[in-house]
Amino acid sequence: MPDQKTVSLTIDGVVVTVPDGTLLVEAAKRIQRDIPVYCYHEKLGPAGLCRICLVEIEKMSKLQIACNTLVTEGMVVRTLSDRALDGRRAVLEFLLANHPLDCPICDKGGECDLQDYAVAYGSGSSRLVEPKGRKPKAIDLGPTIVLDDERCIVCQRCSRFDDLITREQSLVVKERGERDVIATATDAPYVSNFSGNVTELCPVGALTSKTYRFKSRPWDLQRTATTCTQCSVGCALNVDVRHEAILRTMSDPEDPVSDGWLCDRGRYNIAYLDDERRLTSPLLRDGENWTQIGWDDAITLWAKVLRTHPPSAHGVIGGGRLLNEEAYLLSFVFRALGTRNIDWRTGRQFETTAGSFEGTLADLERAQLILVLGVPPSQTAPILDLRIRKAVGRFGARLISVGPLAAGSFVPQTRVRSVTEIPPAAFDVRRIAVVYDGISRDLLAEANAMLRPLQAHGTQIFGFVAGEQANARGAEVLGLLPRDGGLDTRGIFSAAVGGGVISTLACFGADPLLRHPDRILVERALQSFDFTVVSELFLTPTAQRAHLVLPARSAFEKTGSTTNLAGTLREVRAATAAPVGTLSDGEMLVALAAALGIEIPSDPEISRRVREMIGVPLRGGEELSFSGRAPTPREGFELVVAEHPFAGGGTSLHDARVSILRPHPQVGIAPASAQAAGVADGDIVDLTSGDRFLRDLRVRVDEDVAEGLVVVTAGLPQAPANALPATGRVLLKNIRSVREVVASGGVR
Amino acid sequence: MVLEKVLTAGIGEVDLCDIAVYRSRGGYVQWRRAVTELTPAAVVVAALKSGLRGRGGAGFPTGRKWEFLPEDGRPRYLVCNCDEAEPGTFKDHELLEMTPHQVLEGMLIGAYAIRSHHAFIYIRGEFKRGYEIFMRALEEARELGFVGQRLFGTDYSLEVTVHRGAGAYICGEETALLNSLEGKRGEPRLKPPFPAVRGLYGQPTVVNNVETLGYLPHILERGAEWFASVGTPKSTGYKVLSVSGHVQRPGNYEIPLGLPMRTIIDEIAGGLRPGRKFMAVQPGGGSSACLFEEHLDLGYDYESLAAAGTMLGSGAMVVFDDTTDFVKAAHSLVRFFAHESCGQCTPCREGGHWLEMTLERILHGEGLASDIDMLLALSAQMTGINLCPLGDSIEPFLASVLKRFEPQFRAYLRKPQVAFAR
C-alpha cells in the first residue's frame, strides 16, 4: 500500500500533520483542540447547519466552518482568535434566543453540549427583549421517544441518522424558518429498531427516551462497560446505574462490533430486572402449587436426583443466556457425572457457523454481495442488519435475500427463493458475505455449492450466523453439543416420551416449550420426566412445567464473558447487584458440583480454558446432525416462521416498559393468497395442521409475503408458533371479522 | 432616450410566442448552427470572449462557470433557473411569458456548450401563465425537431424537462433549487462540493439564469466582440433592468451596462413624481444596500456598484422618494427574508426572526433607545457566517437605511415617561 499523502498545517500555533483529505475539525482533535460542534458528527459527516465551529483561517476573508473545511498544506488556523470567538458567541446568542433554558428540569442537563458551550463561549446574557418563541413540548414521537421542539436546535442529527444510517427516512424537518420542527414525514409514530440512538445523537435535551425521562442526573450515574447479551452480535454497552437500579444503557462510540450504535431491544429491555414477577427463591412443585425452599435444600434435592438416576438418563439443555464460563461449567459438571446428552440447541437454530465461512462485522461492511439466507438479521440481530444497510446504502453492495422472508433492511434488495435463482453475474465480485439464520440448512447447502468453488478461485467469502440465541456460539465451542454419541434436544425429548430412557432434564436459560420446533413433543416430554429443573429469571412456559425452578441472575448481575457471532470473546461485567435470593447459573453449578463431590477448576483456570477454546477455529463446515424435520403435507399454505427482536417469553415479556414494542400474534399473507383463502386484513383466524393448531391470529395482508405462504412470528407465549409442525403446510380455519369476535365476547 | 433592444426586441410589437414569428426574426438559426457547425468548445469560447456574466444575481462569468465541469465522463445537466423571486425583480417573468422561444433556444445552446443531453427549467410556481406558454413553445420546438433525439441529422440529442416550483424564495438559490428539482426539501446544500462537481442527481451541473441564457443566441449571431464592445470592460453587454418604486414609469428596461443611474431614473423610468425629492435607491434587488443622492452619477455596472458597497444583483432597482417610511420599508424586507429562511442554519433562522420582531416592536411604539445599536449589531453578527446567501441578505438594506435615516427610526422609539408630570 502506498504511503498516504499528508499535509501539515498550523492550528493555534501548533503544527499538525494529518492525512490529506482530513476535515479541519478532525485535525484539531489531534492536538486536543476543542472546536465546538452540534450538527457535525463523525458518523454523519458535515452538514454546515449550526455554524458553531467557526474558525479564522489566514488568507480567507470570512470565518470558515471547521466541519466542512478540508485541510491544505500550510493552512494557518486560529480557533481562539477574537474574530473566531465573536463568531461563536454570535451563534450561541442566536441558538439560545428561542431556547427555553429549562436546564433545571431537562434530562440532558450536565451532559448537554448547548449548556457546556454556552458556559465556555457564550456571553452570559441575552439582548432578546421579545418573548421566546413557543413550540410543542413533550410530543409523543413514537413508542420510545419524546420530543421537545422548544429545546431543539434543528441540527438534524436525528433526521440525518434516520436517513444516512438506518435508511428509514421517517424523521424529517417540517415547516420553515424559525417555525421548523422535527417530525415524521407522514406524522405516523416514529417506529424503528434503532430509535434510541437519536437520544444519544441529540446534542440538547430535545429527544429523550421514555424509559429515562426525569429519572436521574448524569453526574449521579455510575457507569459500567459491559456487553449486551440480548442477541448474538454482542455490542459494547455502557450501563448507567443509580442506587443499584439500571436507569439507562448507552452505546460505546468506539466499539468496532456495534459501530457505535445500539438497537432498541439492547437499549431499552432493562426494566425486567426489577419486575415483580422476577424469581427470588428456589421453587419446588407441590402438585399444582409451588413451595419456596432454601438454596441448600434445592441443591441437595437436585444432587440426589442426579445420583439416583444413571448418567445416561439425564438430559441437559443450556441456552444462549449462559456466559462462556457457565457453559463450560455446565458441560464440565455433567460430563464429569458421565452424561453425554447435552445440547445448546433449544429452538430452531442448530448451528453457529455458515459452513466454513467466517468474518468480522468490518468484513461484512466491505462485502460487495450480501446473501441473507432464511430469517433475516433485521428480526434477530438488528445491529448486524444496520451493517448490511451501511454496506448497501453507503458502499454500494448488492443485497439478495434468499428464502421466503424479505430482508427488511430499508435498502434495495433482490428477493429469490433459492440460491440457484441468483443470476451468475451477481457473483462476479471479490468479496461476498453470507448471513445465515442457522436454520435454513438447504439454503446454506445451495450457497455452499455456489461459493466454495469461488473461494477456491480467490473470492473472499465471509460467513455470519445471526441466530435466535445470544451465546450460541460460545455454548457450542465450550461443550454444550452431543458430539460423543449423546442425544440432541429432540433426541432427549423423544427418548423421554418413548419409553423413558431419559428421565431427568436440566434446562439452563432455555425455554424449549416456547422455542423448540415441536411444541407437542416438548409438552409430552415435560409430562414424562421424573424430574425437571429449570434455571430462569421468570416462570417461563417451560419453568411452569418444571419440578424445581432455580432463580437465576441476568447478565447485568454477573461477570464473565460471552462469544459473539463472529467468534469474538466479549467481556461481561456486573453492573448492579442481583436481587437477594438469586444465584448465577455458574454459582448454582459450583454448588451442585460440591454436592456431587465433583472437583471443578478454579475461576482463573476456567477463564483461561474458555479463552483458549474460543480462540480455536470452529469445526469448519463439518456436517452437524440435528433431527429437526417433519414430513410435509400438500394442501394449504406453506408455513414460514419469522422472528422479531422483541419476541420471547423472558426478558421482554417481563418488561412493562417495552411491552408496547412486542409483536402481536398475527399471520402475514400475500394479497392474492388472502383473497383465495377468503380472509381480509384484520380478520381473526386459526391456523391448523392435522390435529395441531394456533388460535386467534390477526391477518396482516402484506405485499412482502410471497404467494402461497403464511408467516407467523416465533416465540410468542400467547400464540407459540412451535405448536404447528416446523415445516409443514397449514390451513386457515375459523375465519372471523373483528366485529364478530367482539360480538361473541372476545377471543378465547 | 432610445436604447437598442436585444432580449426585449419585439416585445409588445409582435407575438414572439408564435414559433413562426420567432423564426421569421432569425429564431433557432443559431441553435441549428451551433449543433451542425460549431463545436461545444466554440460556444464556450464565444461566451468567454463576450464577457457575459450571470444575470441572476451573482454576476459570475458564464463561460468560466461552464469550464468548471470535470471531464470525467459522467452525464452533465444544464438547469435554467426561472425561480425569479428577488424582491423588486420581474424581468425573467416577462422574458418567459413574452419570449419563450428565446429562453428555450438559450437553454439549448447552453446545454450544447456543456455537452449535456438533458436540460431542465425550474419555473417559479406562481408563473402559471409563463409555464403554460413555455410548455406550448417547447411542444412547437419539439415538433419542428429542435428538441429531442438526433437533432438536425447529427448524433446530438437533447431532452428538456420542465419543473414547476412551489413558490419558495430559497429555491432560487441554485443548490436549494437542485434539491427541490430532485423532489427533496428546498434547502441549500453545503458547499463544497459545488454543483459543477456534484449537482443534480449527483452529476456535474450548471445552473444559469433565464436572462443569461437568453443572450446566447444573440452572442452567436452577432459575435462575442459585439457583446464585449457594449458596456464597460468588466461589465459587458446589456442587462434587463426592473425599475420600480417611486418613479413615473416603472417597468423592465434593457440597458447597456455602465449607464449612469441618474439617467436610468430620470430619463428611462420617467423620473420621480412632480415635487418629490429623491431619498435612496436600492440598485440590485432586496438583498442589496441602498445608494443615495451622492451615488447617482455612478455607472450601473458590476464594479462601480461593488465599489460603492452594494451590488448589481438581479438588476432590480427600487427608488424611494421623500414619502418613504424607511422603518416600515426595512420591516417589510426583513419580514420577507425571515419568512423565506429555510431555517436550517442558525444565524439566518434565529437572527432574521429576531430582527423582524424588534422592528415590529419599534413600529408599535415600544422601541428602546438601545434597539438602534442592537439592530446594527445583530444584523452585522448574522452576516457572513451563513450556509447560503439568504442570511446575508438582511443586513445591507437595513444597515444602509438605518445609518442614513436614523432619525426616522428614533422617531418611533418609546417616548420617555415624564415622572410627576404637571
Side-chain angles (χ1 to χ4, degrees), chain A residues 50-51 93 98 130 175 177, chain B residues 185 341 350 361 381 385:
Chain A
C50 73
R51 318 304 287 184
E93 184 174 26
N98 286 305
E130 280 68 30
E175 294 299 337
Chain B
R185 184 177 161 89
S341 167
E350 302 292 341
R361 184 161 47 77
Q381 83 173 32
I385 59 172

Side-chain angles (χ1 to χ4, degrees), chain A residues 665-687:
Chain A
Q666 52 183 358
V667 52
I669 186 167
S673 302
Q675 205 173 6
V679 295
D681 198 76
D683 282 355
I684 307 293
V685 299
D686 297 347
L687 295 185

Side-chain angles (χ1 to χ4, degrees), chain A residues 160-231:
Chain A
R160 285 184 291 141
F161 168 79
D162 207 35
D163 177 14
L164 301 170
I165 307 294
T166 72
R167 305 272 159 186
E168 296 177 18
Q169 298 184 324
S170 47
L171 288 181
V172 296
V173 178
K174 281 194 174 167
E175 294 299 337
R176 200 170 72 184
E178 97 288 350
R179 303 174 305 285
D180 56 10
V181 292
I182 298 295
T184 57
T186 58
D187 284 333
Y190 172 47
V191 179
S192 166
N193 273 343
F194 309 100
S195 68
N197 292 294
V198 300
T199 65
E200 284 197 56
L201 288 169
C202 185
V204 297
L207 292 162
T208 48
S209 287
K210 286 186 181 175
T211 56
Y212 179 67
R213 295 185 83 216
F214 308 123
K215 285 281 194 296
S216 179
R217 288 300 191 179
W219 57 80
D220 285 330
L221 296 172
Q222 274 194 318
R223 176 160 288 191
T224 304
T226 182
T227 301
C228 176
T229 58
Q230 290 283 16
C231 84

Side-chain angles (χ1 to χ4, degrees), chain A residues 568-588:
Chain A
T568 310
L569 184 131
R570 308 276 287 166
E571 305 283 351
V572 174
R573 294 183 193 87
T576 183
V580 174
T582 60
L583 287 181
S584 72
D585 300 277
E587 290 165 330
M588 295 175 206

Side-chain angles (χ1 to χ4, degrees), chain A residues 213-336:
Chain A
R213 295 185 83 216
F214 308 123
K215 285 281 194 296
S216 179
R217 288 300 191 179
W219 57 80
D220 285 330
L221 296 172
Q222 274 194 318
R223 176 160 288 191
T224 304
T226 182
T227 301
C228 176
T229 58
Q230 290 283 16
C231 84
S232 53
V233 176
C235 300
L237 193 68
N238 286 316
V239 181
D240 286 342
V241 174
R242 187 186 183 199
H243 295 161
E244 298 196 344
I246 295 181
L247 295 187
R248 68 174 182 183
T249 56
M250 305 282 274
S251 69
D252 174 0
E254 308 295 326
D255 178 30
V257 169
S258 65
D259 209 12
W261 310 116
L262 286 179
C263 75
D264 282 359
R265 174 79 192 255
R267 182 186 299 274
Y268 289 131
N269 188 192
I270 47 175
Y272 69 88
L273 294 171
D274 305 319
D275 193 275
E276 58 185 11
R277 291 165 290 183
R278 184 89 190 263
L279 300 174
T280 53
S281 163
L283 298 176
L284 183 65
R285 176 168 296 287
D286 178 12
E288 287 299 299
N289 302 314
W290 295 104
T291 308
Q292 294 190 355
I293 61 170
W295 273 106
D296 287 348
D297 292 346
I299 298 293
T300 308
L301 173 65
W302 187 14
K304 191 176 138 206
V305 170
L306 290 176
R307 265 201 230 95
T308 51
H309 291 74
S312 59
H314 304 315
V316 180
I317 299 172
R321 196 192 71 224
L322 298 181
L323 299 183
N324 286 334
E325 294 74 12
E326 295 170 332
Y328 177 82
L329 260 184
L330 182 61
S331 167
F332 185 93
V333 170
F334 277 90
R335 284 180 202 280

Side-chain angles (χ1 to χ4, degrees), chain A residues 46-52 54 62-63 65 67-68 70 86-87 89-95 97-98 126-131 133 135 152-156 173-180, chain B residues 167-170 185 187 190-193 338-354 356-359 361 368 371 373-374 377-378 381-382 384-388 392:
Chain A
L49 308 178
C50 73
R51 318 304 287 184
I52 191 72
L54 293 168
K62 289 182 181 177
L63 294 175
I65 48 171
C67 71
N68 197 41
L70 291 173
D86 279 349
R89 197 176 304 123
V91 172
L92 277 166
E93 184 174 26
F94 288 133
L95 283 173
N98 286 305
S126 171
R127 290 176 282 180
L128 185 76
V129 177
E130 280 68 30
K135 283 184 182 176
C152 176
I153 60 169
V154 212
C155 69
Q156 299 194 24
V173 178
K174 281 194 174 167
E175 294 299 337
R176 200 170 72 184
E178 97 288 350
R179 303 174 305 285
D180 56 10
Chain B
Y169 170 70
I170 191 60
R185 184 177 161 89
E187 289 175 334
L190 185 60
K191 286 164 277 189
H339 179 73
E340 294 295 340
S341 167
C342 77
Q344 66 171 338
C345 82
T346 308
C348 176
R349 175 184 68 237
E350 302 292 341
H353 180 59
W354 188 343
E356 180 197 344
M357 286 194 300
T358 305
L359 284 164
R361 184 161 47 77
L368 307 171
D371 284 342
D373 286 344
M374 197 188 74
L378 270 189
Q381 83 173 32
M382 71 174 288
I385 59 172
N386 291 288
L387 177 69
C388 86
D392 294 353

